[in-house]
């Protein structure tokens, strides 16, 4: 299979170029599996490769920090070091050097490199559900939810759901549950009015 | 741009637009989000989310593999609905003829039971045929497990393709025609 050929999902053999060039229902010539191919502009191209760094041609030109014999084309937006075309890594419109990108990945400051996030809002909701099962956990749940909300408030939340609203709502609900259950316990156990 | 501005911008999520996606289950759901230059696939797994990103310039094609599962459901529901409706008709005729309350109870019960295949048939007709969608790049073919309806899959693929075309300097038709020779003249 050449680079850029589309493989059939069933038999993994390459589909003919003419079959995959137009958006239509087609059949794989090898296995006969029906398939609808919607081509994109990159169809037929291999993996994208980076630009090769240009050597320094004129004395006095800025050189790459990592490769002194290569011409710098842009400074790193984070550390300011000059970068050649090979070292220039573009992330969401910013130019970074490999070291800054790696440190950003480790510290979690580059959102585009994140692979997963914890749904703290769901954890607080789970704690509230736990209170419905085990009522005496209500104060623990309320305190835990408050701590989670304070600690996670400024951190990046879910990309999909309005997590901050859920965090806040869930924490408020946990306090309502805790105070409600405390009131019920006070009335039932201590019987302040001396009824009956 | 100041260093703080830059790090703040990098730590923020870009603007995303939601694409049509499929079903969600309590334990897992999949949603697809389109940014200016990439597709974000979010796989929700209870207390965490997992992200996959596809650069629009890397996507070569969207493959939709039709599945006959819903046609089978429709066929079975149709086959079940025919005798059920016949029985409803028979009971109705008997009840109209005799006005016996036993027939009326039977009619109500059979009518209620015959609703299930009819609902299944209507659901299959409204939702349309199923298909499995895959995103093909030069280095991988990724399956999108949550997107099953072919009409939604087509809408998803069209929105994605439009965004890729807007990003690409090459027109889609010319890209498709030029595909066999594109490897030699590919821009870096």
């Amino acid at each position: 299979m050449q680079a850029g050929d589309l493989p059939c999902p069933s038999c993994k053999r390459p589909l003919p170029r003419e079959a995959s060039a137009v958006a239509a229902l087609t059949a794989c010539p090898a296995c006969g599996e029906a398939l609808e191919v919607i081509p994109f502009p990159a169809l037929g191209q291999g993996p994208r490769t980076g630009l090769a760094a240009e050597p320094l041609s004129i004395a006095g030109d800025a050189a790459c920090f990592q490769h002194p014999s290569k011409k710098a084309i842009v400074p790193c937006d984070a550390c300011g070091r000059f970068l050649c075309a090979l070292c220039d890594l573009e992330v969401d419109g910013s130019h970074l050097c490999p070291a800054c990108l790696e440190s950003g990945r480790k510290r979690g400051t580059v959102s585009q490199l994140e692979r997963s996030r914890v749904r703290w809002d769901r954890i607080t909701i789970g704690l509230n559900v736990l209170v419905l099962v085990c009522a005496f956990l209500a104060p623990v749940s309320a305190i835990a939810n408050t701590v989670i909300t304070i600690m996670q408030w400024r951190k990046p939340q879910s990309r999909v759901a309005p997590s901050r609203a859920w965090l806040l709502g869930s924490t408020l609900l946990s306090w309502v549950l805790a105070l409600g259950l405390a009131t019920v316990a006070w009335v039932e156990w201590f019987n302040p009015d001396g009824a009956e | 741009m100041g260093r703080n501005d830059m790090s703040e911008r990098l730590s923020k999520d870009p603007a995303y637009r939601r694409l049509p996606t499929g079903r969600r289950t309590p334990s897992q759901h999949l949603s697809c989000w389109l940014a200016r230059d990439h597709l974000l696939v979010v796989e929700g797994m209870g207390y965490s989310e997992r992200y996959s990103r596809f650069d629009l310039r890397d996507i070569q094609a969207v493959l939709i593999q039709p599945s006959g599962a819903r046609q089978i459901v429709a066929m079975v529901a149709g086959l079940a609905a025919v005798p059920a409706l016949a029985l409803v008709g028979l009971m109705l005729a008997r009840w109209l003829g005799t006005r016996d309350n036993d027939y009326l109870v039977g009619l109500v019960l059979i009518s209620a039971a015959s609703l299930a295949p009819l609902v299944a048939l209507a659901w299959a007709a409204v939702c349309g045929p199923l298909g499995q969608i895959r995103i093909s790049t030069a280095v991988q073919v990724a399956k999108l497990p949550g997107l099953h309806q072919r009409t939604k899959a087509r809408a998803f693929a069209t929105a994605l393709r439009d965004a890729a075309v807007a990003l690409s300097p090459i027109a889609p038709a010319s890209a498709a025609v030029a595909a066999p020779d594109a490897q030699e003249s590919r821009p870096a």
Side-chain angles (χ1 to χ4, degrees):
Chain A
M1 191 165 85
Q2 290 179 349
D5 276 345
L6 283 179
C8 168
S10 294
C11 65
K12 311 292 178 211
R13 290 184 189 153
L15 294 166
R17 289 274 170 101
E18 60 274 15
S20 57
V22 285
L25 193 67
T26 181
C28 171
C31 65
E33 182 75 36
L35 200 63
E36 196 172 332
V37 181
I38 293 151
F40 277 54
L43 181 63
Q45 299 175 13
R48 275 191 298 142
T49 52
L51 293 166
E54 280 182 46
L56 277 174
S57 52
I58 306 163
D61 263 1
C64 173
F65 179 81
Q66 298 290 344
H67 307 100
S69 62
K70 302 293 182 188
K71 190 176 170 183
I73 54 165
V74 68
C76 172
D77 285 333
C79 65
R81 287 172 179 162
F82 286 150
L83 308 173
C84 64
L86 187 65
C87 296
D88 175 27
L89 301 169
E90 193 182 340
V91 180
D92 199 21
S94 295
H95 298 271
L96 298 175
C97 66
C100 289
L101 190 75
E102 181 59 18
S103 72
R105 188 186 66 80
K106 280 185 182 160
R107 284 184 289 136
T109 52
V110 182
S111 75
Q112 293 300 302
L113 299 179
E114 272 183 288
R115 301 287 310 274
S116 65
R117 279 182 191 171
V118 176
R119 290 286 304 269
W120 289 101
D121 55 329
R122 287 205 171 177
I123 289 174
T124 56
I125 292 167
L127 285 172
N128 283 344
V129 172
L130 203 63
V131 169
L132 298 179
V133 180
C134 241
F136 66 86
L137 286 176
V140 179
S141 161
I143 293 166
N145 281 353
T146 309
V147 170
I148 289 172
T149 303
I150 290 169
M151 288 182 73
Q152 299 298 324
W153 189 257
R154 291 184 66 82
K155 292 188 181 170
Q157 305 290 319
S158 163
R159 290 172 185 273
V160 185
S163 289
R164 283 199 180 87
W166 280 109
L167 262 180
L168 193 63
S170 178
T171 304
L172 289 174
L173 180 66
S174 67
W175 278 108
V176 168
L177 282 174
L179 294 173
L181 286 169
T183 310
V184 169
W186 175 260
V187 170
E188 288 294 318
W189 293 343
F190 296 105
N191 203 2
D193 295 332
E196 290 183 46
Chain B
M1 190 192 315
R3 190 172 170 166
N4 285 340
D5 295 343
M6 194 277 307
S7 59
E8 194 183 346
R9 192 162 68 81
L10 282 177
S11 65
K12 273 186 183 170
D13 295 336
Y16 285 110
R17 178 165 66 90
R18 187 167 195 165
L19 291 180
T21 37
R23 68 183 174 193
R24 73 186 276 172
T25 59
S27 62
Q28 192 177 34
H29 80 273
L30 182 118
S31 58
C32 296
W33 301 77
L34 186 63
R36 188 185 59 84
D37 60 349
H38 69 273
L39 169 75
L40 173 76
V41 179
V42 181
E43 205 177 338
M45 308 163 77
Y47 295 107
S48 66
E49 283 176 351
R50 205 163 52 193
Y51 307 124
S52 321
R53 294 176 186 84
F54 298 89
D55 194 311
L56 295 180
R57 290 165 294 188
D58 291 338
I59 299 174
Q60 297 198 330
V62 168
L63 309 173
I64 303 170
Q65 196 174 4
S67 151
R70 193 157 277 164
Q71 279 95 321
I72 292 169
V73 168
M75 208 183 293
V76 170
L79 286 175
V82 170
L85 288 176
L87 210 55
V88 168
L90 192 68
M91 293 295 262
L92 186 66
R94 284 280 175 91
W95 179 68
L96 287 174
T98 61
R99 295 282 172 185
D100 187 350
N101 279 346
D102 288 347
Y103 283 121
L104 182 63
V105 172
L107 177 66
V108 170
L109 289 176
I110 291 170
S111 302
S114 64
L115 272 179
L118 288 176
V119 167
L121 197 62
W123 176 69
V126 168
C127 294
L130 294 179
Q132 179 61 62
I133 188 163
R134 289 177 172 83
I135 291 178
S136 177
T137 68
V139 292
Q140 66 168 336
V141 178
K143 202 158 123 177
L144 296 183
L147 201 56
H148 292 290
Q149 289 179 28
R150 262 157 67 189
T151 45
K152 274 193 178 177
R154 275 195 207 106
F156 167 86
T158 308
L160 201 61
R161 188 169 179 266
D162 290 346
V165 168
L167 204 64
S168 165
I170 311 167
S174 61
V177 171
D181 308 321
Q183 296 207 26
E184 286 77 29
S185 58
R186 181 172 71 244

